Tab-separated table of all heavy atoms in Angstrom:
chain	number	residue	atom	x	y	z
A	10	VAL	N	23.239	19.396	17.719
A	10	VAL	CA	23.335	20.104	16.359
A	10	VAL	C	22.816	19.076	15.224
A	10	VAL	O	23.306	17.983	15.181
A	10	VAL	CB	24.686	20.587	15.990
A	10	VAL	CG1	25.802	19.468	16.151
A	10	VAL	CG2	24.806	21.301	14.695
A	11	GLY	N	21.832	19.668	14.561
A	11	GLY	CA	21.226	18.776	13.472
A	11	GLY	C	19.898	18.257	13.991
A	11	GLY	O	19.843	17.480	14.986
A	12	LEU	N	18.764	18.757	13.431
A	12	LEU	CA	17.414	18.272	13.822
A	12	LEU	C	16.568	17.837	12.571
A	12	LEU	O	15.442	18.097	12.440
A	12	LEU	CB	16.678	19.399	14.444
A	12	LEU	CG	17.201	20.018	15.726
A	12	LEU	CD1	16.505	21.330	16.065
A	12	LEU	CD2	16.923	19.044	16.878
A	13	GLY	N	17.435	17.218	11.638
A	13	GLY	CA	16.770	16.773	10.337
A	13	GLY	C	16.187	15.387	10.561
A	13	GLY	O	15.605	15.051	11.585
A	14	ARG	N	16.162	14.640	9.498
A	14	ARG	CA	15.607	13.265	9.370
A	14	ARG	C	15.944	12.374	10.588
A	14	ARG	O	15.013	11.794	11.245
A	14	ARG	CB	16.242	12.624	8.080
A	14	ARG	CG	15.381	11.571	7.414
A	14	ARG	CD	16.042	11.333	6.012
A	14	ARG	NE	17.463	10.986	6.017
A	14	ARG	CZ	17.957	9.761	5.664
A	14	ARG	NH1	17.124	8.861	5.228
A	14	ARG	NH2	19.170	9.684	5.675
A	15	LEU	N	17.168	12.405	11.043
A	15	LEU	CA	17.524	11.643	12.178
A	15	LEU	C	17.622	12.455	13.420
A	15	LEU	O	17.299	11.943	14.655
A	15	LEU	CB	18.913	10.904	11.955
A	15	LEU	CG	19.421	10.152	13.175
A	15	LEU	CD1	18.427	9.045	13.692
A	15	LEU	CD2	20.737	9.514	12.706
A	16	GLY	N	18.180	13.751	13.340
A	16	GLY	CA	18.462	14.506	14.576
A	16	GLY	C	17.138	14.671	15.478
A	16	GLY	O	17.272	14.711	16.657
A	36	CYS	N	20.829	23.411	17.770
A	36	CYS	CA	21.283	24.158	16.701
A	36	CYS	C	20.937	23.607	15.369
A	36	CYS	O	21.096	22.303	15.048
A	36	CYS	CB	22.833	24.257	16.806
A	36	CYS	SG	23.596	25.000	15.465
A	37	SER	N	20.447	24.395	14.432
A	37	SER	CA	20.067	23.959	13.085
A	37	SER	C	20.061	25.237	12.209
A	37	SER	O	19.885	26.347	12.607
A	37	SER	CB	18.711	23.369	13.081
A	37	SER	OG	18.315	23.147	11.676
A	38	ILE	N	20.337	24.990	10.853
A	38	ILE	CA	20.264	26.191	10.046
A	38	ILE	C	18.827	26.247	9.436
A	38	ILE	O	18.562	27.159	8.658
A	38	ILE	CB	21.274	26.116	8.875
A	38	ILE	CG1	21.206	24.765	8.166
A	38	ILE	CG2	22.732	26.388	9.347
A	38	ILE	CD1	22.079	24.816	6.787
A	39	VAL	N	18.038	25.293	9.769
A	39	VAL	CA	16.580	25.438	9.276
A	39	VAL	C	15.673	25.856	10.295
A	39	VAL	O	15.421	25.370	11.377
A	39	VAL	CB	16.158	23.879	8.875
A	39	VAL	CG1	14.710	23.913	8.370
A	39	VAL	CG2	17.114	23.318	7.898
A	42	GLU	N	12.920	23.837	11.923
A	42	GLU	CA	13.373	22.769	12.887
A	42	GLU	C	13.592	23.402	14.202
A	42	GLU	O	13.283	22.748	15.378
A	42	GLU	CB	14.672	22.218	12.416
A	42	GLU	CG	14.499	21.367	11.200
A	42	GLU	CD	15.826	20.735	10.554
A	42	GLU	OE1	16.903	20.941	11.246
A	42	GLU	OE2	15.712	20.065	9.592
A	74	ALA	N	24.257	15.408	14.948
A	74	ALA	CA	23.504	14.825	13.917
A	74	ALA	C	23.337	15.815	12.814
A	74	ALA	O	22.228	15.807	12.051
A	74	ALA	CB	22.054	14.441	14.462
A	75	SER	N	24.372	16.445	12.470
A	75	SER	CA	24.414	17.290	11.411
A	75	SER	C	24.751	16.620	10.089
A	75	SER	O	25.158	15.442	10.149
A	75	SER	CB	25.291	18.545	11.649
A	75	SER	OG	26.523	18.100	11.947
A	76	SER	N	24.904	17.378	8.962
A	76	SER	CA	25.437	16.695	7.639
A	76	SER	C	26.813	16.226	7.973
A	76	SER	O	27.626	16.804	8.590
A	76	SER	CB	25.421	17.789	6.552
A	76	SER	OG	24.161	18.475	6.567
A	77	SER	N	27.144	15.088	7.243
A	77	SER	CA	28.342	14.348	7.490
A	77	SER	C	29.640	15.203	7.354
A	77	SER	O	30.587	15.132	8.023
A	77	SER	CB	28.401	13.084	6.617
A	77	SER	OG	27.267	12.218	6.885
A	79	LEU	N	30.116	18.018	8.075
A	79	LEU	CA	30.336	18.988	9.141
A	79	LEU	C	30.873	18.342	10.327
A	79	LEU	O	31.344	18.928	11.296
A	79	LEU	CB	29.163	19.757	9.452
A	79	LEU	CG	28.456	20.564	8.419
A	79	LEU	CD1	27.060	21.113	8.870
A	79	LEU	CD2	29.337	21.693	7.930
A	80	HIS	N	30.865	17.041	10.451
A	80	HIS	CA	31.091	16.341	11.753
A	80	HIS	C	32.541	16.669	12.251
A	80	HIS	O	32.632	17.048	13.439
A	80	HIS	CB	30.931	14.739	11.517
A	80	HIS	CG	29.635	14.323	11.312
A	80	HIS	ND1	29.371	13.040	11.015
A	80	HIS	CD2	28.405	14.971	11.159
A	80	HIS	CE1	28.020	12.887	10.916
A	80	HIS	NE2	27.415	14.226	10.816
A	97	GLU	N	27.175	11.139	15.031
A	97	GLU	CA	26.548	10.285	13.995
A	97	GLU	C	27.631	9.809	13.146
A	97	GLU	O	28.650	10.389	12.993
A	97	GLU	CB	25.434	10.960	13.228
A	97	GLU	CG	24.089	10.625	13.668
A	97	GLU	CD	23.911	9.104	13.825
A	97	GLU	OE1	24.375	8.434	13.014
A	97	GLU	OE2	23.132	8.758	14.738
A	98	LYS	N	27.487	8.666	12.467
A	98	LYS	CA	28.345	8.267	11.403
A	98	LYS	C	28.090	9.098	10.106
A	98	LYS	O	27.046	9.561	9.944
A	98	LYS	CB	28.198	6.628	11.163
A	98	LYS	CG	26.699	6.190	10.852
A	98	LYS	CD	25.926	6.749	9.784
A	98	LYS	CE	25.781	6.590	8.395
A	98	LYS	NZ	24.960	7.177	7.561
A	99	PRO	N	29.099	9.108	9.271
A	99	PRO	CA	30.371	8.607	9.382
A	99	PRO	C	31.181	9.569	10.192
A	99	PRO	O	30.838	10.905	10.239
A	99	PRO	CB	30.994	8.523	7.966
A	99	PRO	CG	30.180	9.627	7.238
A	99	PRO	CD	28.851	9.635	7.811
A	169	PHE	N	21.818	14.745	-1.323
A	169	PHE	CA	22.636	14.439	-0.082
A	169	PHE	C	24.058	14.006	-0.338
A	169	PHE	O	24.920	14.143	0.512
A	169	PHE	CB	21.907	13.365	0.763
A	169	PHE	CG	21.968	13.294	2.240
A	169	PHE	CD1	21.938	14.324	3.093
A	169	PHE	CD2	22.274	12.060	2.832
A	169	PHE	CE1	22.080	14.283	4.403
A	169	PHE	CE2	22.510	11.828	4.103
A	169	PHE	CZ	22.429	12.921	4.938
A	179	ASP	N	27.965	6.489	3.374
A	179	ASP	CA	26.730	6.803	3.964
A	179	ASP	C	25.913	5.582	4.369
A	179	ASP	O	25.331	5.499	5.444
A	179	ASP	CB	25.812	7.657	2.875
A	179	ASP	CG	24.712	8.188	3.635
A	179	ASP	OD1	24.791	8.670	4.865
A	179	ASP	OD2	23.661	8.281	2.951
A	183	HIS	N	27.794	1.071	7.926
A	183	HIS	CA	27.286	0.257	9.106
A	183	HIS	C	27.769	-1.187	8.826
A	183	HIS	O	28.055	-1.981	9.729
A	183	HIS	CB	25.808	0.237	8.982
A	183	HIS	CG	25.187	1.596	9.543
A	183	HIS	ND1	25.323	2.020	10.905
A	183	HIS	CD2	24.456	2.465	8.918
A	183	HIS	CE1	24.720	3.132	10.931
A	183	HIS	NE2	24.168	3.490	9.855
A	284	PHE	N	15.139	3.220	8.074
A	284	PHE	CA	16.112	2.898	9.026
A	284	PHE	C	15.610	3.044	10.470
A	284	PHE	O	15.933	2.373	11.423
A	284	PHE	CB	17.457	3.622	8.810
A	284	PHE	CG	17.393	5.155	9.123
A	284	PHE	CD1	17.675	5.629	10.313
A	284	PHE	CD2	16.910	6.020	8.138
A	284	PHE	CE1	17.579	6.942	10.696
A	284	PHE	CE2	16.834	7.332	8.415
A	284	PHE	CZ	17.233	7.862	9.616
A	292	PHE	N	18.587	2.908	18.541
A	292	PHE	CA	18.894	4.337	18.783
A	292	PHE	C	18.790	4.890	20.198
A	292	PHE	O	19.593	5.410	20.763
A	292	PHE	CB	18.148	5.215	17.852
A	292	PHE	CG	18.749	5.295	16.380
A	292	PHE	CD1	18.088	4.682	15.397
A	292	PHE	CD2	19.860	6.063	16.156
A	292	PHE	CE1	18.571	4.754	14.084
A	292	PHE	CE2	20.382	6.177	14.849
A	292	PHE	CZ	19.700	5.435	13.807
B	1	NAI	P1	19.267	16.048	7.255
B	1	NAI	O1	19.761	16.717	5.999
B	1	NAI	O2	17.957	15.628	7.366
B	1	NAI	O3	19.672	16.984	8.446
B	1	NAI	C1	20.859	17.755	8.539
B	1	NAI	C2	20.843	18.690	9.772
B	1	NAI	O4	22.057	19.392	9.783
B	1	NAI	C3	19.740	19.804	9.614
B	1	NAI	O5	19.076	19.835	10.848
B	1	NAI	C4	20.495	20.978	9.293
B	1	NAI	O6	19.962	22.249	9.751
B	1	NAI	C5	21.885	20.704	10.075
B	1	NAI	N1	22.943	21.466	9.673
B	1	NAI	C6	23.304	21.558	8.203
B	1	NAI	N2	24.321	22.557	8.111
B	1	NAI	C7	24.502	23.061	9.357
B	1	NAI	C8	25.368	24.030	9.999
B	1	NAI	N3	26.302	24.643	9.152
B	1	NAI	N4	25.296	24.360	11.243
B	1	NAI	C9	24.329	23.654	12.145
B	1	NAI	N5	23.539	22.716	11.551
B	1	NAI	C10	23.590	22.491	10.309
B	1	NAI	O7	20.260	14.824	7.545
B	1	NAI	P2	19.971	13.422	8.253
B	1	NAI	O8	19.439	12.349	7.334
B	1	NAI	O9	19.310	13.749	9.523
B	1	NAI	O10	21.538	12.982	8.570
B	1	NAI	C11	22.278	13.707	9.564
B	1	NAI	C12	23.512	12.746	9.981
B	1	NAI	O11	22.962	11.573	10.507
B	1	NAI	C13	24.315	12.416	8.818
B	1	NAI	O12	25.663	12.401	9.146
B	1	NAI	C14	23.938	10.922	8.441
B	1	NAI	O13	24.905	10.164	7.811
B	1	NAI	C15	23.558	10.433	9.782
B	1	NAI	N6	22.514	9.381	9.688
B	1	NAI	C16	22.712	8.193	10.269
B	1	NAI	C17	21.916	7.170	10.245
B	1	NAI	C18	22.060	5.890	11.064
B	1	NAI	O14	21.581	4.790	10.698
B	1	NAI	N7	22.962	5.881	12.133
B	1	NAI	C19	20.663	7.233	9.472
B	1	NAI	C20	20.388	8.534	8.884
B	1	NAI	C21	21.384	9.537	9.015
Side-chain angles (χ1 to χ4, degrees):
V10 56
L12 295 167
R14 207 164 54 116
L15 177 55
C36 172
S37 166
I38 53 167
V39 180
E42 292 179 0
S75 55
S76 313
S77 302
L79 302 173
H80 293 180
E97 258 312 327
K98 54 52 85 180
F169 203 50
D179 192 34
H183 289 292
F284 69 91
F292 277 106

